[in-house]
Amino acid sequence: MAAETSLGLAVEVSDIDRELKKLWQQGEEVMTRASLINLAIYSESPGSLQSNTPLVAKITEDHACRALVIEAKRAGEQNRVASWINAHCHVTRAGGKQICSEQLSFLLEGPCTKLLPSIVFSHLDSDLPFYLWWQGEFHDPMDPQLWEWVDRLIYDSGPWKDFGAQFWLVEAAEREARQRIVLCDLNWTRLDKVRYAIAQFFDHPASYHHFATIENLNIDYAPGFKSTALLLLGWLGAQLNWKPNEPARNGSCRMLDANNRKIDIELRPRDGGPIGEVTINSNGVQFRVAPAQCGDLLEISRRGANESPVPQMMPAQSNDPAELVTQELTRGGPHEIYLRALNCVRDLL
């Protein structure tokens, strides 16, 4: 059965627990409630309750959770709180009862938006991990009470207008949580497949020497995704001990390797997916990763003076928000390589 994507039953906030019990009692013969995490989605975009509900339906196909979907209108003058309950149900491969995840939706308007921590904490499911997906930009001041409970903070740095100011707020939240929060940037997640594709070039020990002779790197990116391209550059730079040498000019910059050898970098805006063609030139050999014609694969190839390219195909990265979050929810542990990549190009972001 397809998951319901309406907001569900409108209820008073004080009646949520009682109405949830009724919901499960009515469907106990065909429905089984499941929850492995608490996932809160916070947005200040008008209509986000309606747009985020289908995302929750898709995410819960693979990750059973209690979802708290929150739309906040901070500019309102009058207090208003509205809430709904819903369940997203999916038939298991074995058939039988449907596995269902709860969705609690909240519309907050006016000064009561400051009650966000209280509303979230009072509706978390027992002692399960708490993941917060913050959509849009952070704002100052950050509520310290909120961050003490968050285990993993999911955000997308791609649309940020001022990366430095926004990441300063993220680090402030991390400090409030005493470094306990794991930072999960969807802008980093959307690089997964292209990073795997580049890394496989150098899996064989015979290719290691090319690390030390890289002459230049070209990265194509779609308009609005320059920070994605810079994170990709940061990943390579952090892994190979590069550091910025000259500031970015018209999409170009220069890095220095551990031996102070210069590597020219070209970032080029092009239509297409977030990351387009990537080429690495090293000692007469070109390593290339590019979207295939079909759109859902990457074409990878190596070309040298005495060798013809033999293209191979690897999976391409989806840019669908639900799929990016699903990938992120599959993981555990800190994102140490992300932090190293970010620090490598922080002055360029």
Side-chain angles (χ1 to χ4, degrees):
M1 184 182 77
E4 178 63 49
T5 57
S6 72
L7 294 181
L9 177 67
V11 298
E12 295 294 329
V13 173
S14 58
D15 294 336
I16 285 177
D17 288 339
R18 183 170 66 249
E19 293 298 331
L20 282 174
K21 289 180 181 178
K22 286 183 183 179
L23 176 67
W24 297 118
Q25 288 171 354
Q26 293 168 1
E28 62 182 351
E29 294 185 2
V30 295
M31 299 162 55
T32 297
R33 175 182 173 273
S35 183
L36 297 176
I37 61 169
N38 293 289
L39 173 64
I41 305 175
Y42 176 85
S43 175
E44 296 177 7
S45 298
S48 60
L49 285 182
Q50 288 74 17
S51 60
N52 279 326
T53 295
L55 298 184
V56 173
K58 189 170 183 180
I59 291 168
T60 55
E61 292 178 9
D62 297 300
H63 298 280
C65 64
R66 170 175 280 190
L68 285 69
V69 183
I70 302 146
E71 179 182 331
K73 299 181 178 180
R74 301 169 64 226
E77 297 181 358
Q78 299 296 321
N79 280 326
R80 180 191 173 205
V81 179
S83 56
W84 298 260
I85 61 171
N86 196 2
H88 300 288
C89 299
H90 309 279
V91 178
T92 65
R93 293 182 178 88
K97 285 189 175 183
Q98 300 176 70
I99 305 299
C100 300
S101 295
E102 297 169 334
Q103 176 178 324
L104 314 184
S105 302
F106 300 93
L107 178 62
L108 311 179
E109 189 169 353
C112 71
T113 55
K114 296 179 181 178
L115 299 176
L116 173 66
S118 298
I119 289 176
V120 169
F121 302 149
S122 61
H123 294 97
L124 294 180
D125 193 355
S126 64
D127 294 324
L128 296 176
F130 175 30
Y131 292 22
L132 173 60
W133 179 8
W134 189 285
Q135 297 178 342
E137 299 208 343
F138 296 95
H139 45 75
D140 194 16
M142 304 283 274
D143 193 322
Q145 184 185 6
L146 178 64
W147 308 114
E148 293 178 0
W149 291 75
V150 177
D151 294 293
R152 299 180 81 85
L153 174 61
I154 302 172
Y155 56 94
D156 188 351
S157 68
W160 287 352
K161 295 178 181 177
D162 186 337
F163 193 100
Q166 284 294 297
F167 201 74
W168 185 89
L169 291 173
V170 171
E171 290 178 315
E174 191 179 27
R175 288 191 296 271
E176 293 290 350
R178 299 178 180 87
Q179 309 297 320
R180 188 175 64 87
I181 291 179
V182 175
L183 304 181
C184 307
D185 188 353
L186 300 182
N187 205 23
W188 175 252
T189 309
R190 62 172 56 96
L191 288 171
D192 278 3
K193 298 299 191 295
V194 71
R195 288 193 297 118
Y196 296 154
I198 293 172
Q200 64 82 38
F201 283 129
F202 305 99
D203 280 346
H204 196 282
S207 296
Y208 285 177
H209 69 279
H210 284 291
F211 285 141
T213 57
I214 292 177
E215 299 149 4
N216 56 68
L217 165 68
N218 301 314
I219 303 174
D220 292 350
Y221 64 92
F225 289 94
K226 185 175 182 178
S227 63
T228 317
L230 284 169
L231 279 177
L232 180 59
L233 169 61
W235 168 68
L236 275 166
Q239 299 300 90
L240 299 177
N241 295 316
W242 295 352
K243 59 184 178 182
N245 172 240
E246 294 181 5
R249 296 192 311 272
N250 299 322
S252 301
C253 63
R254 180 169 285 169
M255 307 287 280
L256 292 178
D257 68 10
N259 297 315
N260 286 324
R261 195 176 53 83
K262 296 177 180 179
I263 301 103
D264 291 321
I265 312 297
E266 187 77 22
L267 306 180
R268 306 175 298 197
R270 299 284 191 276
D271 291 335
I275 295 295
E277 181 181 71
V278 179
T279 57
I280 302 171
N281 293 291
S282 173
N283 198 25
V285 176
Q286 181 182 84
F287 302 93
R288 177 178 179 270
V289 176
Q293 293 282 338
C294 59
D296 59 353
L297 292 172
L298 292 174
E299 182 178 293
I300 61 175
S301 62
R302 165 180 166 148
R303 179 195 300 270
N306 298 314
E307 58 181 300
S308 299
V310 181
Q312 298 179 345
M313 298 296 177
M314 293 183 68
Q317 176 66 54
S318 168
N319 196 38
D320 176 75
E323 293 191 27
L324 290 173
V325 171
T326 296
Q327 282 180 236
E328 198 54 60
L329 295 180
T330 304
R331 297 172 172 161
H335 288 310
E336 294 179 355
I337 296 177
Y338 161 68
L339 295 175
R340 289 174 54 202
L342 189 152
N343 286 329
C344 180
V345 293
R346 194 161 185 166
D347 293 340
L348 302 177
L349 285 162

